[in-house]
Amino acid sequence: MSIRHSLLALLQDKPRYGYQLRVEFEDRTGSAWPLNIGQVYTTLDRLERDGLVRNDGGDGEGHVVYSITEAGRTDVAGWFEAPVGRTNPPRNELAIKLALAVTLPGVDVASVIQAQRVASVRALQDYTKSRRDSSANHRSADTAWLLVLDSLIFQTEAEVRWLDLCEARMAQLANPAT
């Protein structure tokens, strides 16, 4: 996830201080990816150093307000225009866990798969309920959260299908005659 570009995108609306950016990001994404406030301020410092935001001074209440520069607008526009790259896939802890489990003696791979399936199905049910509840009370502000929920639902459905495949492969390895 590009925190840099997310903060720039939010600053296009209006100048904000760090905590406001954090709250706005979490509101728009349904808090699916909580931001550490320290990370927000570190990123703002880098954006200022790179000339993509400017420090507009304090707001009178002890907060430093930042606004986007023209270079920042150009940078975030390029981010929106470019597809998300697939050259370096994000680390998938579950894939790593199962890859290691099948290569280490004494690990009950079937139990690892089953425990994850239970957790994934539970998460899928929670996401689906949230989706249904959000759709019933649909406001235009909910659209961002609904998009995030749809993404989480599709990813979790794919994860459950992948776990089914892993289980079938383990069964095939255990019984190669079939």
Side-chain angles (χ1 to χ4, degrees), residues 2-169:
S2 176
I3 294 172
R4 164 190 170 107
H5 288 110
S6 298
L7 297 181
L8 284 172
L10 291 171
L11 285 170
Q12 288 186 118
D13 277 348
K14 65 180 181 181
R16 292 183 169 95
Y17 55 87
Y19 185 77
Q20 288 174 319
L21 288 165
R22 176 181 173 224
V23 168
E24 194 66 31
F25 175 85
E26 290 180 359
D27 283 349
R28 293 185 193 210
T29 62
S31 298
W33 302 282
L35 284 181
N36 176 302
I37 193 64
Q39 190 174 19
V40 170
Y41 282 108
T42 299
T43 303
L44 284 169
D45 287 344
R46 287 186 191 127
L47 290 169
E48 183 180 12
R49 176 199 67 202
D50 296 342
L52 302 176
V53 301
R54 76 178 144 268
N55 177 330
D56 292 338
D59 66 354
E61 295 180 23
H63 305 113
V64 176
V65 177
Y66 293 88
S67 60
I68 192 167
T69 64
E70 200 53 45
R73 288 184 189 284
T74 301
D75 193 65
V76 78
W79 178 62
F80 278 125
E81 292 168 4
V84 174
R86 299 278 180 206
T87 54
N88 293 320
R91 286 192 181 138
N92 180 324
E93 184 176 349
L94 178 57
I96 293 167
K97 183 185 222 179
L98 285 175
L100 292 173
V102 299
T103 62
L104 295 171
V107 177
D108 183 354
V109 178
S111 292
V112 173
I113 292 170
Q114 186 56 29
Q116 186 62 48
R117 179 183 286 109
V118 168
S120 297
V121 168
R122 187 175 302 122
L124 183 58
Q125 291 168 339
D126 291 344
Y127 295 148
T128 303
K129 182 184 180 316
S130 290
R131 176 71 166 91
R132 189 175 48 250
D133 294 346
S134 294
S135 292
N137 305 318
H138 187 71
R139 300 168 308 187
S140 60
D142 294 330
T143 301
W145 173 228
L146 291 173
L147 291 173
V148 170
L149 271 174
D150 287 338
S151 175
L152 293 170
I153 288 168
F154 287 132
Q155 288 172 18
T156 308
E157 288 173 340
E159 182 175 284
V160 170
R161 288 194 329 265
W162 178 70
L163 289 166
D164 292 342
L165 175 66
C166 291
E167 188 173 57
R169 285 207 175 130

